[in-house]
Amino acid sequence: MIPNFFPNGDGLPVTTGVRFRGIQDTGPRHEKFTYWDQLFDIGTRGEMGWIGDYFKTWNWELGFRYSRNEGQDLSIGEVSQPGLRQALLDTDPRTAFNPFMGINGMNSGEARGAVYVTLHNSGEYELPIYYGTFNGDLFNLPAGPVSFAIGGEYDAPRFTRDRDALNNTFQSIGSVDGQSFKVNRDIWGVYEEVRVPFTSPTWNFPGFYSFEVDFAEREEWYSTNTSSVLPSGLFPAVPAAHKRYNAQKPKVSVRWQPMDPKYIGALTLRGSYSEGFHAPTLSEVTPASSQNFPVVSDAFSPQTEQQVEERILGNPATHPEVAYEWTYGAVYSPKWVKGLTLSADWWHIDMRDIVAALGADTIIQENAPTIPGASTVVGPGGTTVVRSAGDGSSVFGPVVLVIDPSANLSGAVFEGLDYEAIYILDSTIFGGGDWGRITTTVNGTWLSRAEFQVANDTKRVGIAGEFLPPAFALTSSLPWHRANFSIFYDGPADTWAQGLDVGAIVHWIGQYNDDNATLTGSPKLNMPITGGPGTSGGFFAPTTGTASQFPWRARKVSAWTTLDLLINYTFNLPPPAPAEVPGFAKDGGKNVRSGKDGKEKNVVPISTAEYGCNNWHWWLNNTTVTLGMQNVMDEDPPFVAGSFENGYDESIATIKGRFWYVGLKKRF
């Protein structure tokens, strides 16, 4: 902006199109993080049998836990917008900033000192927790005791972010800006649970060898306070706010064994229905905004840059998410295959009032421009797409800002199957000696259905088998199928090898779709490859209707398989032999001489010998040494085109490659 350019005093906006990277000026930008963590945990537990026989099965526990995490971020080599603006308009060659020197050019020290700065940001999060529980048996039924548990908890999380003045006013370049805030919450919660055995192995009838039901309920009361937020650009000042709400949800589960295991083996049928709730996180309720630069695809204007500015806002008006879940399945250990256990559980989760930010790409595609050139489109829940006039090469201007507030969205539905097979081969079944046992396990999850609905007046969008960008806050990526296979050997008991545990684990993630909605430029999320009716134009022709612009870019993310190896050895030393001590008899008694008759009498000692902490046996006993290696074959994660930042799916994969580690654990 050139100030006072026009006679009336208005300034002239100037867009130069110049891109400058100050490699010689300041070197690569870098950050220094420092963290201070504190944790204090204390508790006590006991039994209540001392009150009377009725309370002999009752137990209690009380505790307090306090954690505090502090962090400081020094962002070095960032650019001050006010400093750069002043240096660009400066007419003194000693202090003026010249962006036209090329990549090898270097500005003067005075100019660099005015433009490049170190930003100071810090934050604190603390969480005190008080809790107490009671549990025991209430009374006996023919099938067994009716047991209960009751407890309460008080949590008081506090979250503070202190931003640098330039970040707080969105006046830095190269750094992620955001506003300072303080937010805290008080949570009081209670839960109750009762287990009722209607039949059991000791009291049953045909078809109901064992049948028990659990009834549970949890209730929580929330009180949330958010600090005021200063105005910034498009955003007005927001006053401090206070909100209270509560949630109460039940759970019922059933466990049923139809017949005695002696007939066909142990068969257990199980099922549950529960209602859950999840309060918004503290960062989701503060109205302070935070800057982001996600990768987007704008099907309405080719002028839009690959990355645009996004402002993510919390919302004090959000309320807890709710969920309705039911599961049913079976566990079976066949009589004729000793050591084999099979299980499968089908689950269904219906989430409603989900608290999430939609993400810039979704907001752009769901809020089409209504007028040519510059426009501002406000969608449901305050989502906003701001477009500039652009250069006139297309009907609609490019996106320059997306406002993405947290909100209670409509909901999502997830369905799938969890399965597991475990086989324990005990060497003693062959009639010979004990040379250990081998445990083989296969478990996995198959995702049958995943659908997301932004609002009540929008269609559901299938997200099963999809890569989901990090900006999509609801969940990580959702492959259709993932599984693990492991085999472990445990040494024979009562030998030196009884502490040996050696195994291998194979992790497998099946293929799934890339971010095809972004890659193809589809304006319809429920049709991410082809889009809607129309003609795909590609690079050299106009795209008509709601068709995707580049349907041939759609791709799948390859499957990924990794191998881990692990070996543990736990030292289990035999107890030491009691040493003979002068004055003690061989039979463990102590010979003393009576003062009257002078005869020897034998007295049994009270203490027994054991290792002392000054003995190396004491330190070695119950010590576990671990040696392991992850990703033995050093497999790289599969390429993900939709992950602009790093080219792989960081939600379910890692780029650290082959990794070995050593562990040492001592149990006292």
Side-chain angles (χ1 to χ4, degrees), residues 339-379:
L340 176 64
T341 301
L342 306 172
S343 67
D345 291 279
W346 182 267
W347 45 266
H348 174 100
I349 303 174
D350 185 354
M351 302 177 64
R352 303 176 187 178
D353 290 339
I354 298 171
V355 179
L358 284 177
D361 200 47
T362 302
I363 294 174
I364 291 173
Q365 297 180 56
E366 291 288 339
N367 294 276
T370 55
I371 59 174
S375 65
T376 298
V377 179
V378 180

Side-chain angles (χ1 to χ4, degrees), residues 408-433:
N408 288 102
L409 306 179
S410 180
V413 176
F414 301 92
E415 284 184 351
L417 177 71
D418 291 339
Y419 60 88
E420 184 175 59
I422 302 175
Y423 180 63
I424 301 176
L425 177 62
D426 196 326
S427 61
T428 58
I429 65 173
F430 300 108

Side-chain angles (χ1 to χ4, degrees), residues 29-36 70-76 78 119-123 161 175-176:
R29 293 174 299 178
H30 60 282
E31 295 184 79
K32 179 181 179 181
F33 296 93
T34 306
Y35 299 101
W36 299 269
E70 299 180 59
Q72 182 187 69
D73 172 19
L74 300 180
S75 191
I76 303 166
E78 308 293 359
L119 303 177
H120 298 252
N121 289 278
S122 62
R161 285 297 304 270
S175 175
V176 176

Side-chain angles (χ1 to χ4, degrees), residues 155-387:
D155 303 348
R158 274 88 174 113
F159 186 21
T160 302
R161 285 297 304 270
D162 293 314
R163 308 260 195 178
D164 190 276
L166 290 175
N167 291 125
N168 204 29
T169 54
F170 294 86
Q171 295 192 84
S172 76
I173 299 176
S175 175
V176 176
D177 293 330
Q179 296 173 294
S180 300
F181 63 85
K182 291 183 179 181
V183 59
N184 66 79
R185 173 182 289 157
D186 296 302
I187 309 171
W188 295 265
V190 295
Y191 70 88
E192 313 87 28
E193 182 176 359
V194 177
R195 184 179 61 187
V196 182
F198 291 93
T199 64
S200 69
T202 60
W203 189 85
N204 57 76
F205 49 86
F208 287 87
Y209 177 74
S210 177
F211 184 79
E212 64 182 34
V213 182
D214 275 23
F215 304 92
E217 182 185 56
R218 184 176 184 91
E219 185 166 9
E220 291 189 352
W221 296 263
Y222 294 82
S223 176
T224 303
N225 302 292
T226 57
S227 62
S228 59
V229 177
L230 298 175
S232 175
L234 294 174
F235 304 93
V238 180
H242 172 74
K243 185 174 182 180
R244 301 181 68 177
Y245 49 81
N246 72 294
Q248 183 179 17
K249 299 298 178 182
K251 178 180 180 180
V252 179
S253 59
V254 177
R255 183 179 177 275
W256 175 31
Q257 285 185 270
M259 61 185 69
D260 193 322
K262 68 181 181 182
Y263 296 112
I264 63 170
L267 173 64
T268 301
L269 306 178
R270 58 190 180 187
S272 68
Y273 169 78
S274 62
E275 297 179 9
F277 62 93
H278 176 259
T281 64
L282 296 183
S283 59
E284 289 172 336
V285 297
T286 175
S289 60
S290 181
Q291 192 180 52
N292 192 23
F293 291 91
V295 178
V296 299
S297 175
D298 184 7
F300 307 105
S301 175
Q303 299 181 63
T304 298
E305 296 281 351
Q306 191 175 22
Q307 287 181 281
V308 300
E309 181 181 1
E310 177 187 30
R311 300 280 185 93
I312 301 175
L313 284 72
N315 185 357
T318 53
H319 53 266
E321 306 167 357
V322 294
Y324 304 88
E325 177 181 0
W326 53 89
T327 65
Y328 45 90
V331 181
Y332 181 49
S333 297
K335 179 182 179 180
W336 48 87
V337 184
K338 185 177 181 181
L340 176 64
T341 301
L342 306 172
S343 67
D345 291 279
W346 182 267
W347 45 266
H348 174 100
I349 303 174
D350 185 354
M351 302 177 64
R352 303 176 187 178
D353 290 339
I354 298 171
V355 179
L358 284 177
D361 200 47
T362 302
I363 294 174
I364 291 173
Q365 297 180 56
E366 291 288 339
N367 294 276
T370 55
I371 59 174
S375 65
T376 298
V377 179
V378 180
T383 57
T384 305
V385 179
V386 180
R387 296 177 180 270

Side-chain angles (χ1 to χ4, degrees), residues 21 115 208 234 244 250 393-394 422-423 470 473 478 493 513 639 647:
R21 188 176 295 274
V115 172
F208 287 87
L234 294 174
R244 301 181 68 177
S393 61
S394 61
I422 302 175
Y423 180 63
L478 298 171
N513 290 319
F639 172 70

